[in-house]
Coordinates of all heavy atoms in Angstrom, one line a residue:
F474 N 76.8 158.9 97.4 CA 77.7 157.8 97.6 C 78.9 158.4 98.2 O 79.5 159.4 97.9 CB 78.0 157.2 96.2 CG 79.0 156.2 96.3 CD1 78.7 154.9 96.6 CD2 80.3 156.4 96.1 CE1 79.7 153.9 96.7 CE2 81.3 155.5 96.1 CZ 81.1 154.2 96.4
F475 N 79.5 157.6 99.2 CA 80.7 158.0 99.8 C 82.0 157.3 99.6 O 81.9 156.2 99.4 CB 80.5 158.1 101.4 CG 79.3 159.0 101.8 CD1 78.2 158.4 102.3 CD2 79.6 160.3 101.8 CE1 77.0 159.3 102.6 CE2 78.6 161.2 102.2 CZ 77.3 160.7 102.6
A476 N 83.1 157.9 99.5 CA 84.4 157.3 99.4 C 85.4 158.0 100.0 O 85.1 159.0 101.0 CB 84.7 157.4 97.8
S477 N 86.7 157.7 99.8 CA 87.7 158.4 100.8 C 88.5 159.6 100.1 O 88.9 160.4 100.9 CB 88.8 157.3 101.1 OG 88.1 156.3 101.8
S478 N 88.7 159.5 98.7 CA 89.4 160.5 98.1 C 88.5 161.1 97.0 O 87.6 160.6 96.4 CB 90.6 160.0 97.6 OG 90.4 159.1 96.5
G479 N 89.0 162.3 96.5 CA 88.4 163.0 95.4 C 88.4 162.3 94.2 O 87.3 162.1 93.5
A480 N 89.6 161.6 93.9 CA 89.6 160.9 92.6 C 88.6 159.7 92.6 O 88.0 159.5 91.6 CB 91.1 160.3 92.5
E481 N 88.5 159.1 93.9 CA 87.4 158.0 93.9 C 86.0 158.5 93.6 O 85.2 157.8 93.0 CB 87.4 157.3 95.3 CG 88.4 156.2 95.6 CD 88.2 155.8 97.0 OE1 88.7 156.6 97.9 OE2 87.6 154.7 97.2
A482 N 85.7 159.7 94.2 CA 84.4 160.3 94.0 C 84.2 160.4 92.4 O 83.2 160.3 91.9 CB 84.3 161.5 94.7
N483 N 85.3 161.0 91.8 CA 85.1 161.3 90.4 C 85.1 160.0 89.6 O 84.4 159.9 88.5 CB 86.4 162.1 89.9 CG 86.1 163.6 90.2 OD1 85.1 164.1 90.5 ND2 87.3 164.3 90.3
E484 N 85.8 159.0 90.0 CA 85.7 157.7 89.2 C 84.3 157.2 89.4 O 83.7 156.7 88.3 CB 86.5 156.6 90.1 CG 88.0 156.7 89.8 CD 88.4 155.9 88.6 OE1 87.7 155.0 88.2 OE2 89.7 156.3 88.2
G485 N 83.6 157.5 90.5 CA 82.2 157.2 90.7 C 81.3 158.0 89.8 O 80.3 157.4 89.2
A486 N 81.6 159.2 89.7 CA 80.9 160.1 88.6 C 81.0 159.7 87.2 O 80.1 159.6 86.3 CB 81.3 161.5 88.8
I487 N 82.2 159.3 86.9 CA 82.6 158.8 85.5 C 81.8 157.5 85.3 O 81.1 157.3 84.2 CB 84.1 158.6 85.4 CG1 84.8 160.0 85.3 CG2 84.5 157.8 84.1 CD1 86.4 159.8 85.6
K488 N 81.8 156.6 86.2 CA 81.1 155.2 86.1 C 79.6 155.5 85.9 O 78.9 154.9 85.1 CB 81.2 154.4 87.2 CG 82.6 153.7 87.4 CD 82.3 152.8 88.6 CE 83.7 152.0 89.1 NZ 83.6 151.4 90.2
H512 N 91.2 166.4 87.8 CA 90.2 165.6 88.4 C 90.7 164.4 89.1 O 89.9 163.6 89.6 CB 89.3 165.1 87.2 CG 88.5 166.1 86.5 ND1 87.6 166.9 87.1 CD2 88.6 166.5 85.1 CE1 87.2 167.9 86.3 NE2 87.8 167.7 85.1
T518 N 90.9 159.2 86.2 CA 90.8 160.7 86.4 C 92.0 161.3 85.8 O 91.9 162.6 85.6 CB 90.8 160.9 88.0 OG1 91.8 160.3 88.7 CG2 89.4 160.4 88.5
M561 N 82.0 167.1 82.1 CA 82.5 167.2 83.5 C 83.5 168.5 83.7 O 84.3 168.7 82.7 CB 83.2 166.0 83.9 CG 83.9 166.1 85.3 SD 84.1 164.4 86.1 CE 85.8 164.2 85.6
I598 N 85.2 169.4 94.2 CA 86.1 168.9 95.2 C 87.0 170.0 96.0 O 87.2 170.0 97.2 CB 87.0 167.7 94.6 CG1 86.1 166.5 94.5 CG2 88.2 167.4 95.6 CD1 86.8 165.4 93.5
M621 N 77.4 165.9 91.3 CA 78.4 166.7 91.9 C 79.4 166.0 92.8 O 78.8 164.9 93.5 CB 77.9 167.9 92.7 CG 78.8 168.6 93.5 SD 78.1 170.2 94.3 CE 77.1 169.4 95.5
T622 N 80.7 166.1 92.7 CA 81.6 165.4 93.6 C 82.1 166.5 94.6 O 82.4 167.7 94.2 CB 82.7 164.8 92.8 OG1 83.3 165.7 91.8 CG2 82.2 163.5 92.1
L623 N 82.3 165.9 95.8 CA 82.9 166.8 96.9 C 84.1 166.0 97.5 O 84.0 164.8 97.5 CB 81.9 167.0 98.0 CG 80.6 167.9 97.6 CD1 79.5 167.7 98.7 CD2 81.1 169.2 97.3
G624 N 85.0 166.6 98.1 CA 86.2 165.9 98.7 C 86.8 167.0 99.6 O 86.2 167.7 100.2
L633 N 87.9 161.8 103.0 CA 86.5 161.7 102.9 C 86.1 162.4 101.5 O 86.4 163.5 101.2 CB 85.8 162.2 104.0 CG 84.3 162.4 103.9 CD1 83.6 161.2 103.8 CD2 83.7 163.2 105.2
S634 N 85.2 161.8 100.7 CA 84.6 162.3 99.5 C 83.3 161.8 99.3 O 82.8 160.9 99.9 CB 85.6 162.0 98.3 OG 85.6 160.7 98.1
A635 N 82.6 162.5 98.4 CA 81.1 162.2 98.1 C 80.8 162.4 96.7 O 81.3 163.3 96.0 CB 80.2 163.0 99.0
L636 N 79.8 161.5 96.2 CA 79.3 161.8 94.9 C 77.8 162.0 95.2 O 77.2 161.1 95.9 CB 79.5 160.5 94.0 CG 78.6 160.4 92.8 CD1 78.8 161.4 91.7 CD2 78.7 158.9 92.1
L637 N 77.2 163.1 94.7 CA 75.8 163.4 94.9 C 75.2 163.4 93.5 O 75.7 163.9 92.6 CB 75.7 164.7 95.6 CG 76.4 164.9 96.9 CD1 76.2 166.4 97.4 CD2 75.6 164.1 97.9
Q650 N 79.2 149.4 91.8 CA 79.9 150.4 92.5 C 80.0 150.2 93.9 O 79.1 149.6 94.5 CB 79.4 151.7 92.3 CG 79.8 153.0 93.0 CD 81.3 153.3 92.6 OE1 82.0 152.4 92.1 NE2 81.7 154.5 92.8

Side-chain angles (χ1 to χ4, degrees):
F474 172 83
F475 296 109
S477 306
S478 68
E481 268 180 291
N483 280 343
E484 288 269 346
I487 291 164
K488 284 187 187 175
H512 297 297
T518 55
M561 173 157 92
I598 289 166
M621 167 171 74
T622 50
L623 297 170
L633 171 61
S634 63
L636 163 66
L637 299 170
Q650 175 66 337

